Amino acid sequence: MSNVVPGVSPDAPAPSAVSNRPDVKRDAHPFSRSQLEGLMTKRFFYIQAFEIYGGVGGLYDYGPTGAALQANIINQWRNHFIIEEEMLELDTTIMTLADVLKTSGHVDKFADWMCKDLKNGEIFRADHLVEGVIEARLEGDKQARAKEAGESIAVPAEAAGGDDKKSKKKKVKSSAVKLDDALVAEYNSTLAQIDNFDGKQLGELIRKYDIRSPESGNEVSEPIEFNLMFESSIGPTGQVKGYLRPETAQGHFVNFQRLLEFNNGRVPFASAQIGKSFRNEISPRAGLLRVREFTMAEIEHFVDPEDKNHERFDEVKNIEVPLLAKDVQESGKTDITVKTIGEAVSAGVIDNQTLGYFIGRIYLFLVKIGIDATRLRFRQHMSNEMAHYASDCWDAEIHTSYGWIECVGCADRSAYDLTVHSKRTKKDLVVQKAHKEPKVYDAFVPTIIKKNIGPKFKKDAKIVEEAILEMDQKKLAELESQLKNGSAPLKVCTGQTFELTTDVVTVEMKTIRETVREFTPNVIEPSFGIGRIFYSLLEHSFWTRAEDQDRGVLSLPPLVAPIKALIVPISSNEKLAPLVKQVSRKLRSAGVASRVDDSNASIGRRYARNDELGTPFACTLDFASLSKGTMTLRERDSTAQRIGPIDQVIDVIRQLCDASLDWEGACKILPEYSGQQDVEA
Amino acid sequence: MSNVVPGVSPDAPAPSAVSNRPDVKRDAHPFSRSQLEGLMTKRFFYIQAFEIYGGVGGLYDYGPTGAALQANIINQWRNHFIIEEEMLELDTTIMTLADVLKTSGHVDKFADWMCKDLKNGEIFRADHLVEGVIEARLEGDKQARAKEAGESIAVPAEAAGGDDKKSKKKKVKSSAVKLDDALVAEYNSTLAQIDNFDGKQLGELIRKYDIRSPESGNEVSEPIEFNLMFESSIGPTGQVKGYLRPETAQGHFVNFQRLLEFNNGRVPFASAQIGKSFRNEISPRAGLLRVREFTMAEIEHFVDPEDKNHERFDEVKNIEVPLLAKDVQESGKTDITVKTIGEAVSAGVIDNQTLGYFIGRIYLFLVKIGIDATRLRFRQHMSNEMAHYASDCWDAEIHTSYGWIECVGCADRSAYDLTVHSKRTKKDLVVQKAHKEPKVYDAFVPTIIKKNIGPKFKKDAKIVEEAILEMDQKKLAELESQLKNGSAPLKVCTGQTFELTTDVVTVEMKTIRETVREFTPNVIEPSFGIGRIFYSLLEHSFWTRAEDQDRGVLSLPPLVAPIKALIVPISSNEKLAPLVKQVSRKLRSAGVASRVDDSNASIGRRYARNDELGTPFACTLDFASLSKGTMTLRERDSTAQRIGPIDQVIDVIRQLCDASLDWEGACKILPEYSGQQDVEA
């Protein structure tokens, strides 16, 4: 998985989060990643796992707010995909038999290149090392050139998002050394292709550019392959090897026949699974974006390879999506084209309706949970970057302060997986589809004469028989004509050649009446990295108040916000307590997750805490609530307050949460509250 | 974890599932485990993982029906515990730093004993081997005695649940050899204590009784310890060791300070987590009951050790629960006492309100999701079987064809975990609670004279200082009086003794004014094995029709049934198709998960399939639906059919599903349908 797109400078500042509400001024201050990260820790969204033991790279624990946000995202996902489309949900094991992953290609190919500091043993991911060192040299070159020209190059870190870039690469210090123009060009070209190099090529770059361990200055070893799967052994003998799954997909494929039977033997159908997967990254970095344990949500949609149309295509065909097709990238550009899904499929930019349908559904899902549509694009994989199993692939990429991040892959895995598992296990993983009308055609058919083939070829008889049965029409035609002339040479998979004669096989043209077509279905796989979506959503939701840069706000949509409403008694007076309980109970029966904040903090501080938790609404109970039965409703983003009878306010919140009402609509129902507008000042 | 309770014969036949409805005759046929297991596979509730690769013991995949049932159980759990009680939900990593599990005691103590066939290398769990061989010998003795007496001992397998017992122990064949009466008594006593033996004792039994590998007859090795955790290594160096967590609990404890802070520094509060855990069982058996990967739901409720009362205790105090206390078991009995939670806590049978509160809540949860209350009991652990961390423990045990199964543990882990992690990491894992009134008391206080202690004890100064600071009041009093006489010997943790004099330490009685009490909270831990509850629920739900023993029914409550309603068009006539879609859409908007069965099977077969899937309701659409807008409603358990206008039937189903209406009530709203009552005959 590669996140940096060739041609997109990773130094481009992140666009600030978009506000489409005139009453909310979200872009007064530039985005600060370190401030967001501070909030994540302070409010226990997530932290590095085993913090009190010093922490472990690439492992994160989600606290109450993070776990709830994640659960809400998953819940929306389940509704949007599984329930809405009647997918077959699975829960298969994480511990996976090594044999299965050998067959799928992961044991041989799921690896990164690493190299070692030859003296102190420090380990680097080879491409990251080359990238880091070259970027540092280019930075040093810039500094040297600026000095020469007498320019100042100090850029306010926050404004350029520079604090973030630095923290990512802090290992590699730059020093102001000017480089040849030709070398600068070479370095830039190397960086643009960094994801395409294999171990040998990375080794050549390391020698050519004398790349060394950044801290120690020591030489590093040749890159060697490191498989990214966590290995373990199942049972007490140590003889059954297992891996923690690197994706949930194989659990679908090995159960294909059971799923097909459950679906009454028909395709298309889709299975879906939400669960943990594992990748033993060499050097985890970028917070939640490159981790060792993560939650995925994967769909495997099984289709007839001859009919990739989709029944519900009409529902998405008019959705406009930002596309970055492979031919554009291959011509060195990154221009996004906005097209409707219908146009893109007609024009062949997107290969088929099913792929197009899922791209549309992915777009709708991401925007629904709060991803900024202007920072979302679908990028097609170029041929050299495709996974070993894929025949076409579009990634939903979301723009963050780390650049464009692959958050959803939508790949056409063709018949790859089912074919390899079927070959390995000798089990049929196929669909039988009745022709509407029987298909009648002529074809060459071989007849093997069993009683002769054994004695003639002895131990090789089986291999010869298999080779004959695998022949296509062209080869059979050739065989037929050769046999007419006496004998035919047959080359088998072992490399041996055998002489066929008509006493062991005959070939005749026959009329075939085919009532059933048997085929291995193709698989379209939308695969969601929930942690990456989660993090991107937080970046898109975070901003700071115009009047006070220290006051962060998480503008999470009510649909996914961990808590929907905060209940705030204006004081700790005991008289308010029964009312607080009552409102809490009423909100619960209305299906609104709420929380009481009856701490001693000032009401302004409690609102501020609430903003950091992303809670969209706050109900404030005061003495008027006791005497008049009213309650105020504060909206997080605008800090505006409205007032109304308690039951009416609760009903408005319920509607705001299930998205049947927006804040503008709420303001038409509830009058403005002017009593304590200055309480937050 | 031990499942067989001393004194309960594992051969006692399972009571058949209870029906409390007069219109449903559920007990016509005895329960057959093999029939249930057949249904589980056929309807893809679950199957052994990697089936097409030959399967792996102890690993199971859940298919669409099983995954949905499991998701519904988890969802009910989340509502019943997390939402209802505002617990702090966590999602911590499965991959766990070895250090953490070393501290918790799992690296040293989380093991079973195994032994090896000395010739062919076959591996056995030592206690299972001893148990299996002795049971076979006792069985052979029974046969021999029966032969002597000229009796027939053939028992119908189904009636005694015998088919199941056989499949469990099929490795150990019995032969009719009569044993001494004394040996029979010895064997029976050994079996009753089988869970209490350690490796050395198991080794002695193996030698004493000449227990050999059942298939080969070879001798077996001395039992050796096998740690049940899956081991792996984190990162590329191989130097950071990790284990897959054997429980989710440690993820709560290492985050305790963050959780406490999130809860504004106050106890009691509870954290909760639902997720996968792993145990590398030596010889998995008993289907879903002893597996290598499983879903747990765990609560860690942190309380002040001086106040284990519970705010909501009144809500559960009148619930009657079946209890099996430890003193009863220790006197060799298994009589269950039914008491209210209130009585049990007052009488000290259940130690405190918090433990009692959770026992009540666990009872309510299990019964709500469909566990037969007459086959549920709470059994207190005896002192010799308690886990290393527990100070008291009650298991919710559910009766199945395997005997009584521990499905929920409810342990008081005291301050064990927080204390050991705090010691290891030197981080404070404590609560500070302000006294209402400052506490004023006199106490001995040591004063260390820093400038002298260093020069006097040099490198040992720190260890001496720590030893002084750890002294309790009694020791300080002694020290004070010894110092008055000149000097005092101090023995430190290393075993060395030092001489203390008043130039390095003085002790005085002082008046202490304490405003804050600092303590390590105790933990009450209800821990749910979701897979075991899932399987027990299936056994309690399964029965076969009186009129046809081959027709299985799963009477799952609507609350957890994978699909709530089946939509059945009476024929494949195209005119019905739009109506089918419409009803499907209407059910979805009513929040009812439904599925269409428009296969070519007869309507009777489709109903039968539906019964096996546990779907409580079926809506049948026929030509009257087109002409009159009516729909019939079939209830799974009684097969009774009612009729009404489509919208009314949908509304009745909605109410049946959210439990605001029962079938009796539904029958009052919808009249009986007599049109095609014979369609299933």
Side-chain angles (χ1 to χ4, degrees), chain A residues 2-296:
Chain A
S2 145
N3 305 322
V4 179
V5 180
V8 172
S9 160
D11 289 322
S16 66
V18 167
S19 165
N20 46 14
R21 284 177 49 183
D23 56 340
V24 180
K25 188 164 165 13
R26 277 181 60 166
D27 50 5
H29 308 293
F31 171 78
S32 157
R33 192 199 296 156
S34 54
Q35 195 177 356
L36 172 63
E37 286 173 346
L39 189 157
M40 293 295 102
T41 305
K42 187 168 108 194
R43 296 298 172 215
F44 204 2
F45 277 78
Y46 60 89
I47 53 156
Q48 197 169 42
F50 315 113
E51 189 191 19
I52 62 171
Y53 280 78
V56 176
L59 294 178
Y60 288 87
D61 287 345
Y62 289 72
T65 35
L69 175 57
Q70 182 184 250
N72 293 342
I73 292 173
I74 288 174
N75 200 30
Q76 287 304 320
W77 192 89
R78 186 176 267 122
N79 285 336
H80 187 86
F81 291 102
I82 300 184
I83 309 281
E84 178 64 31
E85 317 213 358
E86 296 187 8
M87 293 175 178
L88 306 182
E89 189 166 0
L90 287 174
D91 181 13
T92 70
T93 60
I94 289 170
M95 182 59 73
T96 304
L97 191 63
D99 233 11
V100 170
L101 293 160
K102 175 77 187 167
T103 305
S104 68
H106 287 87
V107 171
D108 297 325
K109 293 179 193 160
F110 195 70
D112 277 341
W113 296 95
M114 68 173 183
C115 44
K116 233 184 207 173
D117 183 312
L118 286 176
K119 288 194 182 143
N120 70 19
E122 197 185 348
I123 286 179
F124 306 94
R125 202 174 120 173
D127 56 342
H128 288 181
L129 175 69
V130 172
E131 191 184 20
V133 171
I134 290 184
E135 282 178 356
R137 288 182 189 168
L138 287 172
E139 179 62 30
D141 173 68
K142 258 191 215 159
Q143 290 167 8
R145 284 171 195 249
K147 238 186 238 166
E148 248 184 37
E151 286 165 15
S152 156
I153 54 145
V155 177
E158 287 281 336
D163 60 336
D164 304 321
K165 301 311 293 181
K166 258 181 232 152
S167 71
K168 179 180 161 192
K169 283 179 218 146
K170 64 177 174 227
K171 273 188 188 165
V172 191
K173 278 184 217 145
S174 58
S175 48
V177 177
K178 193 181 163 187
L179 309 172
D180 274 358
D181 288 357
L183 185 58
V184 170
E186 224 177 290
Y187 276 171
N188 278 322
S189 144
T190 303
L191 285 185
Q193 300 169 63
I194 194 73
D195 295 317
N196 296 335
F197 297 120
D198 64 17
K200 209 180 133 206
Q201 293 169 315
L202 288 167
E204 282 161 11
L205 291 172
I206 287 169
R207 283 191 303 274
K208 183 172 173 192
Y209 297 133
D210 190 29
I211 285 171
R212 286 158 178 267
S213 175
E215 302 252 297
S216 69
N218 299 329
E219 282 185 61
V220 297
S221 71
E222 270 300 287
I224 52 167
E225 252 185 335
F226 176 70
N227 192 291
L228 297 180
M229 293 192 294
F230 284 99
E231 195 179 317
S232 197
S233 110
I234 305 172
T237 64
Q239 284 158 7
V240 183
K241 205 164 141 182
Y243 294 101
L244 303 189
R245 65 180 176 200
E247 55 174 14
T248 77
Q250 300 305 321
H252 304 233
F253 301 137
V254 296
N255 283 306
F256 172 73
Q257 273 305 340
R258 296 259 168 223
L259 287 166
L260 180 66
E261 201 180 304
F262 189 85
N263 205 49
N264 297 325
R266 302 181 200 162
V267 289
F269 73 86
S271 54
Q273 180 166 200
I274 304 159
K276 289 270 183 98
S277 294
F278 294 77
R279 297 186 187 190
N280 196 7
E281 296 285 349
I282 294 170
S283 55
R285 55 180 196 181
L288 293 186
L289 299 182
R290 190 173 294 282
V291 292
R292 289 176 165 148
E293 177 173 342
F294 47 94
T295 299
M296 299 182 92

Side-chain angles (χ1 to χ4, degrees), chain A residues 41-44 47-57 59-65 67-68 70-71 78 83-97 99-100 103-104 114 121 123 226 230-237 240 244-245 251 253-255 258-259 261-264 266 276 278 280-283 292-293 295 311-312 420-422 424-425 427 429 581 584 588 594-600 609 613, chain B residues 41-44 47-57 59-65 67-68 70-71 78 83-97 99-100 103-104 114 121 123 226 230-237 240 244-245 251 253-255 257-259 261-264 266 276 278 280-283 292-293 295 311-312 420-422 424-425 427 429 581 584 588 594-600 609 613:
Chain A
T41 305
K42 187 168 108 194
R43 296 298 172 215
F44 204 2
I47 53 156
Q48 197 169 42
F50 315 113
E51 189 191 19
I52 62 171
Y53 280 78
V56 176
L59 294 178
Y60 288 87
D61 287 345
Y62 289 72
T65 35
Q70 182 184 250
R78 186 176 267 122
I83 309 281
E84 178 64 31
E85 317 213 358
E86 296 187 8
M87 293 175 178
L88 306 182
E89 189 166 0
L90 287 174
D91 181 13
T92 70
T93 60
I94 289 170
M95 182 59 73
T96 304
L97 191 63
D99 233 11
V100 170
T103 305
S104 68
M114 68 173 183
I123 286 179
F226 176 70
F230 284 99
E231 195 179 317
S232 197
S233 110
I234 305 172
T237 64
V240 183
L244 303 189
R245 65 180 176 200
F253 301 137
V254 296
N255 283 306
R258 296 259 168 223
L259 287 166
E261 201 180 304
F262 189 85
N263 205 49
N264 297 325
R266 302 181 200 162
K276 289 270 183 98
F278 294 77
N280 196 7
E281 296 285 349
I282 294 170
S283 55
R292 289 176 165 148
E293 177 173 342
T295 299
E311 199 188 356
R312 297 174 67 171
V420 292
H421 286 300
S422 172
R424 172 71 185 75
T425 61
K427 300 274 194 305
L429 302 179
K581 276 205 176 161
S584 169
R588 192 185 301 147
S594 71
R595 206 161 174 90
V596 176
D597 187 348
D598 55 1
S599 69
N600 297 326
R609 182 152 65 196
L613 291 168
Chain B
T41 305
K42 187 167 108 193
R43 296 297 171 215
F44 204 2
I47 51 159
Q48 196 168 43
F50 317 114
E51 188 191 20
I52 63 172
Y53 280 78
V56 176
L59 294 177
Y60 287 87
D61 287 345
Y62 289 71
T65 34
Q70 182 184 249
R78 186 176 267 122
I83 308 282
E84 179 63 32
E85 316 212 359
E86 295 188 9
M87 293 176 178
L88 306 182
E89 189 166 359
L90 288 174
D91 180 14
T92 70
T93 61
I94 289 170
M95 182 59 72
T96 304
L97 191 62
D99 234 12
V100 171
T103 305
S104 69
M114 68 174 183
I123 285 177
F226 176 70
F230 284 99
E231 193 179 319
S232 197
S233 111
I234 306 172
T237 64
V240 184
L244 303 189
R245 65 180 176 201
F253 302 137
V254 295
N255 283 305
Q257 273 306 339
R258 295 261 167 219
L259 287 166
E261 202 180 302
F262 189 85
N263 205 48
N264 297 326
R266 301 182 200 162
K276 290 270 183 99
F278 294 78
N280 196 8
E281 295 286 348
I282 294 171
S283 55
R292 289 177 165 147
E293 176 173 341
T295 299
E311 198 188 358
R312 296 174 69 171
V420 292
H421 286 300
S422 173
R424 172 71 185 75
T425 61
K427 300 274 193 306
L429 303 179
K581 276 204 174 158
S584 167
R588 192 184 302 147
S594 72
R595 205 162 174 88
V596 176
D597 187 347
D598 55 1
S599 69
N600 296 327
R609 181 150 67 197
L613 291 168

Side-chain angles (χ1 to χ4, degrees), chain A residues 345-393:
Chain A
V345 171
S346 308
V349 177
I350 296 173
D351 183 63
N352 58 68
Q353 282 195 0
T354 299
L355 214 47
Y357 177 75
F358 280 112
I359 288 173
R361 294 287 298 164
I362 292 165
Y363 180 86
L364 292 176
F365 170 73
L366 292 173
V367 171
K368 178 158 80 180
I369 63 165
I371 294 296
D372 180 351
T374 66
R375 298 175 73 184
L376 172 60
R377 71 180 185 192
F378 288 86
R379 189 179 70 80
Q380 191 173 26
H381 279 206
M382 292 177 286
S383 13
N384 60 353
E385 60 170 324
M386 206 108 67
H388 63 271
Y389 47 74
S391 73
D392 190 13
C393 188

Side-chain angles (χ1 to χ4, degrees), chain B residues 576 579 622-630:
Chain B
L576 290 172
L579 198 58
D622 55 16
F623 295 97
S625 307
L626 286 176
S627 56
K628 298 187 208 159
T630 57

